[in-house]
Amino acid sequence: MGMLMPIRRYGYFLMAGVGIVCFLLGAYHGRVAVFSYDRDGNMQLKQITELKIDDLPPHWAQDIKLGRVKVDTEEQLGQVLDSLDECRRDQ
C-alpha cells in the first residue's frame, strides 16, 4: 500500500493577508472533490476527481466527508490525491 503523506486533518484555516490559497478535500456526489479557499475566505469547487469516496479506506472516507483533510499547496494536493488513488487500488 502507498504511504500517505502527513497532512493536517482538522479542516481548513486561512492565512489571512499572506495570499496563500488553501485546499480542502470534501465529498461531492460520492466522489472526492477539491475546494479552494482564497485569502478572503471565499470557497470554490475547484475539481471533482474520479476517486469514489466508497472506494477509500474508511478513516479517509470519513475525514473527507467531514471536511477534515486540508492541504496548503498545489504540490501537496497532487501528492495527497496520488496517495488516495494508490490506497483505492490497494484495497
Side-chain angles (χ1 to χ4, degrees):
M1 178 165 77
M3 295 295 296
L4 289 174
M5 61 176 286
I7 56 176
R8 293 183 187 99
R9 297 172 67 183
Y10 49 78
Y12 78 97
F13 66 92
L14 299 175
M15 301 179 79
V18 185
I20 294 176
V21 176
C22 299
F23 302 99
L24 177 73
L25 297 185
Y28 186 83
H29 294 287
R31 300 200 179 269
V32 176
V34 178
F35 298 88
S36 63
Y37 290 86
D38 64 20
R39 66 176 174 249
D40 296 322
N42 301 312
M43 182 179 79
Q44 297 180 338
L45 178 61
K46 176 180 171 60
Q47 174 185 1
I48 302 169
T49 71
E50 295 296 318
L51 299 168
K52 293 181 181 177
I53 296 287
D54 292 339
D55 291 345
L56 298 175
H59 66 281
W60 282 106
Q62 183 69 10
D63 282 351
I64 290 169
K65 287 177 186 176
L66 295 175
R68 293 180 180 160
V69 181
K70 179 237 158 235
V71 294
D72 295 320
T73 66
E74 292 269 357
E75 181 180 350
Q76 287 177 341
L77 177 61
Q79 291 171 346
V80 169
L81 291 175
D82 288 345
S83 293
L84 290 173
D85 189 43
E86 288 179 25
C87 285
R88 173 186 68 162
R89 284 186 259 145
D90 288 343
Q91 283 195 351

